[in-house]
Amino acid sequence: MDLDQLNETACAMVAPGKGILAADESTGTIGKRFASIGLENTPDNRRDWREMLFRTEMAMNEHVSGVILYDETIRQSARDGTTLVQLIRNAGAIPGIKVDTGAKALAGAEGETVTEGLDGLRDRLADYYELGARFAKWRAVINIGQNGDDSVPSQYCINVNMHALARYAALCQEANIVPIVEPEVIMDGNHSIERCYEVTEFALKTLYRELFDQGVVLEGTVLKPNMVISGTTADDRAGIEEVADMTVQCLANCVPAAVPGIAFLSGGQSDEEATAHLNAMNASYDLPWPLTFSYGRALQAAPLKAWAGKPENVAAGQAAFNHRARMNGLASLGEWDAAMEKETA
Ligand code: 5MM
């Protein structure tokens, strides 16, 4: 394990003004995204979509530090034969890879899941390193029980998921790959922001205990958490400042200062909401770690709509991606303003 290399990569992933593009949708998930624009879910269409993003110069050169890829994508080439990994490198960004194999029903715990993918992971990581990956991602899914059901998440669910995240992280570091640890508390539901805080704290405290127990070097990791936020269908959803304050308070209580950076998931927030929340945290607080983005939907929804799967719309898709990447880059510095949303890319 080369700790200097791991720390250098982790710091580059959260460099000032930059964040991570989560383009690691599995085939099923990207199919749902394509369905929204009436596009068939084929390997060529998936390549064209991702090639368009990775060739978007301003976004990629100035605001994207790294890209999380899916197994198919890390092996794919652009139309001219350049590998997609090389396109990312050409932009000065770091290729990364999702290595979990998805959240599966957790035995004996209705409504809860455990993320799988540890079998054979050591060999897969060696293969991914050869293919160019310098960081990886594993996402644990934590649901919040609804309508007063405080039994979800269970201690059992939190324990097995955080244990698996730490096992994954230790294997990554052994392979000189920086693990992004992603314990996602799901936003769907009508729960309050206070309940989201409790569950996020429960998950993060358990996660850092497991990482310690399994010898994971925090300086060579990046945390990808949810924000502390009201459920999507909650009454009286918390406003921007409250989300920023409670998220920062929760992280300050749970995340050691040795962690090089925190890159949030968007989790179903609207594009602008995800940007505004990130900006509010960076504008108001001086924190031990940089706070940035590792967004999937909140970076891709606008370009996907503008592109709509048509070659003649590539410039429009890239303009939309440039715009969202720039807005989030500014938010990672606390320099975004809602009025900037009206500016063209
Ligand atoms: C890009 O979305 C990923 C989805 O992966 P699956 O297809 O395996 O479900 C997801 O893991 C993503 O990397 C993060 O959760 C962040 O995405 P959002 O859209 O929440 O910012």
Side-chain angles (χ1 to χ4, degrees):
M1 186 194 320
D2 182 340
L3 287 180
D4 289 340
Q5 186 195 321
L6 288 169
N7 181 250
E8 201 180 304
T9 303
C11 291
M13 289 162 66
V14 295
K18 292 190 175 189
I20 297 165
L21 167 64
D24 59 311
E25 297 89 352
S26 51
T27 306
T29 303
I30 197 75
K32 289 184 205 152
R33 309 278 183 265
F34 282 180
S36 72
I37 54 165
L39 185 66
E40 205 187 336
N41 189 13
T42 65
D44 283 358
N45 285 338
R46 294 193 287 274
R47 181 221 36 223
D48 287 349
W49 162 239
R50 286 161 172 154
E51 178 175 352
M52 183 194 84
L53 293 176
F54 306 160
R55 284 193 192 276
T56 305
E57 285 186 13
M58 189 190 83
M60 291 294 298
N61 294 346
E62 295 176 28
H63 304 299
V64 172
S65 58
V67 182
I68 315 174
L69 301 169
Y70 182 57
D71 183 75
E72 175 188 70
T73 326
I74 201 171
R75 302 169 194 279
Q76 247 173 350
S77 293
R79 278 175 183 248
D80 69 1
T82 314
T83 64
L84 295 184
V85 163
Q86 193 55 46
L87 288 186
I88 294 166
R89 284 196 186 126
N90 291 348
I94 309 167
I97 181 77
K98 184 231 296 288
V99 300
D100 68 63
T101 55
K104 308 286 161 56
L106 178 60
E110 207 184 318
E112 300 193 286
T113 63
V114 61
T115 299
E116 296 187 350
L118 289 169
D119 289 352
L121 182 56
R122 178 177 274 127
D123 293 341
R124 288 197 291 130
L125 287 167
D127 188 28
Y128 286 139
Y129 191 94
E130 285 303 310
L131 288 165
R134 292 296 176 269
F135 71 91
K137 192 206 85 166
W138 178 291
R139 171 173 168 259
V141 175
I142 312 296
N143 293 314
I144 296 188
Q146 297 297 302
N147 305 317
D149 175 10
D150 286 345
S151 67
V152 174
S154 61
Q155 178 92 56
Y156 164 41
C157 168
I158 296 287
N159 286 350
V160 294
N161 275 291
M162 301 309 128
H163 182 83
L165 265 169
R167 283 191 61 196
Y168 139 83
L171 282 164
C172 284
Q173 292 194 331
E174 183 188 87
N176 289 321
I177 289 179
V178 171
I180 294 184
V181 287
E182 181 180 2
E184 177 174 3
V185 176
I186 299 294
M187 192 178 153
D188 300 346
N190 58 11
H191 51 270
S192 64
I193 189 169
E194 288 79 12
R195 181 68 182 139
C196 180
Y197 184 107
E198 274 174 10
V199 172
T200 304
E201 183 180 38
F202 183 19
L204 289 175
K205 289 223 190 274
T206 310
L207 172 64
Y208 281 99
R209 173 76 215 191
E210 286 288 347
L211 292 172
F212 173 71
D213 285 350
Q214 297 188 45
V216 175
V217 181
L218 296 183
E219 289 84 344
T221 63
V222 169
L223 175 67
K224 175 164 173 167
N226 53 284
M227 294 181 193
V228 174
I229 194 165
S230 313
T232 324
T233 54
D235 294 331
D236 297 327
R237 299 190 69 227
I240 293 169
E241 296 307 324
E242 196 178 353
V243 169
D245 292 347
M246 288 186 71
T247 303
V248 165
Q249 191 191 341
C250 189
L251 294 172
N253 271 290
C254 301
V255 184
V259 171
I262 296 176
F264 291 102
L265 58 92
S266 57
Q269 299 179 49
S270 73
D271 301 357
E272 206 173 317
E273 218 182 358
T275 305
H277 287 146
L278 178 63
N279 184 70
M281 290 182 236
N282 282 311
S284 308
Y285 292 94
D286 188 16
L287 295 161
W289 355 254
L291 296 183
T292 188
F293 57 92
S294 175
Y295 294 162
R297 284 162 286 183
L299 275 173
Q300 296 185 53
L304 184 68
K305 199 169 162 205
W307 175 58
K310 300 190 174 124
E312 63 271 27
N313 290 341
V314 164
Q318 292 187 323
F321 181 39
N322 272 331
H323 181 67
R324 281 274 42 92
R326 183 166 157 263
M327 294 299 100
N328 286 305
L330 288 166
S332 74
L333 300 170
E335 294 173 3
W336 171 87
D337 189 276
M340 294 171 175
E341 290 292 343
K342 304 211 169 15
E343 294 169 12
T344 50

